[in-house]
Amino acid sequence: MAAEACAVEVFDPFYLLISALITVGQQLAFFIVAACFKFDKVTDFAGGTNFVLLAILTLVLGGTYYLRQMLVSFAIVFWGVRLSAYLLIRILKTGKDERFDSMDRGFSLSFAAFWVGQAVWVFVVSLPVILVNSSCDHNPTVGVTELIGLFLFGAGLLLEAVADQQKFEFRERDENKGKFCNVGTWAWSRHPNYAGEILLWWGIFIACTPVFRPWMWLAILSPLLVSLLILFVSGLPILEKSANKRYGGSSEYK
């Protein structure tokens, strides 16, 4: 299909520097607010909305609005808005984020390190959508690869959203206080929401690959980072340790 140059070039042709600067700026701003008031209610909201901002910004800067760009960008926006809203509502109800119980929520190195890590996470995981939106001069016809990727994204998003809602409703019932959630998708896995998260990011990556130049395959770091963080760093290891203490003696948990 016919292709053209991007409408606007900012710093570099692929919007990498402007995306990095905006990400650092947003995370720094939220860190200052959070540290001033010593609370953690905006941490996940700051991350999720940053993805939305980068998807919209790079799409608009490119100005070509190819079908592939629109589909991938809309997917990221929908995911980011849903997850940010859900996590904000959840933290407002629970009152605090247990991940930060062992650290000073003010201007401490440990709290600052979280925000630095979140900035890196947002930028790296956003690489596929940044690169697809800046690939204005290469627009192959949308085909099977994109459909497979978007199907995986849709399946992952549905699994994550359903799992989140099921757990939220389970915890809202007084009779379930102190119990491990094992209803619906949680009867299949202790972490169905994380399974959905990993699946959807692999889907986004696959959907973007038809426009990749050889060096752009570095964007595989996006789903790899999501998978590694969930499986080995800030996802399963932390939740499993906490759940083992809280529900270790429960037959539902085992």
Side-chain angles (χ1 to χ4, degrees):
M1 296 181 66
E4 55 189 86
C6 290
V8 180
E9 181 177 321
V10 185
F11 299 127
D12 65 83
F14 303 104
Y15 304 141
L16 295 173
L17 182 55
I18 186 63
S19 296
L21 290 174
I22 286 174
T23 299
V24 170
Q26 176 165 335
Q27 297 309 308
L28 177 61
F30 272 99
F31 164 64
I32 292 172
V33 172
C36 282
F37 294 97
K38 293 192 173 184
F39 69 177
D40 51 35
K41 293 180 176 60
V42 294
T43 52
D44 290 323
F45 181 81
T49 54
N50 206 153
F51 283 98
V52 174
L53 178 58
L54 292 185
I56 294 174
L57 175 71
T58 54
L59 179 66
V60 172
L61 287 176
T64 46
Y65 303 104
Y66 299 141
L67 178 59
R68 179 185 298 100
Q69 295 172 337
M70 295 286 286
L71 290 172
V72 171
S73 298
F74 175 78
I76 297 297
V77 169
F78 189 86
W79 165 84
V81 170
R82 187 210 72 83
L83 188 61
S84 298
Y86 167 74
L87 293 176
L88 182 61
I89 292 170
R90 188 182 70 176
I91 192 67
L92 290 175
K93 279 186 168 288
T94 58
K96 67 172 184 173
D97 191 330
E98 294 180 352
R99 293 175 298 176
F100 304 105
D101 283 351
S102 62
M103 67 177 70
D104 178 3
R105 292 172 171 85
F107 289 96
S108 64
L109 286 177
S110 57
F111 198 42
F114 165 83
W115 291 94
V116 171
Q118 180 152 277
V120 173
W121 168 67
V122 170
F123 177 73
V124 172
V125 177
S126 292
L127 282 175
V129 71
I130 294 171
L131 294 177
V132 81
N133 283 342
S134 62
S135 296
C136 305
D137 60 351
H138 186 41
N139 183 34
T141 303
V142 172
V144 175
T145 301
E146 290 90 345
L147 294 178
I148 291 173
L150 291 171
F151 173 80
L152 292 176
F153 168 82
L157 178 66
L158 180 63
L159 177 58
E160 181 181 63
V162 169
D164 284 342
Q165 186 61 30
Q166 288 173 338
K167 191 169 188 177
F168 184 82
E169 291 178 356
F170 180 87
R171 288 183 168 178
E172 284 292 288
R173 299 190 182 98
D174 292 337
E175 65 268 24
N176 294 328
K177 188 174 182 179
K179 293 183 179 179
F180 177 74
C181 178
N182 65 344
V183 300
T185 57
W186 298 87
W188 312 340
S189 166
R190 290 211 289 262
H191 308 283
N193 54 336
Y194 281 159
E197 182 80 356
I198 292 172
L199 184 61
L200 71 85
W201 282 111
W202 278 103
I204 288 293
F205 168 74
I206 291 169
C208 294
T209 56
V211 304
F212 282 178
R213 295 168 171 83
W215 69 268
M216 290 181 176
W217 284 88
L218 286 172
I220 198 172
L221 290 173
S222 168
L224 284 177
L225 181 61
V226 171
S227 302
L228 290 173
L229 286 176
I230 287 177
L231 294 175
F232 303 110
V233 183
S234 61
L236 266 61
I238 293 176
L239 286 183
E240 286 288 292
K241 182 178 180 180
S242 174
N244 284 336
K245 289 181 179 179
R246 188 177 302 176
Y247 308 113
S250 169
S251 58
E252 289 87 355
Y253 178 68
K254 296 178 180 180

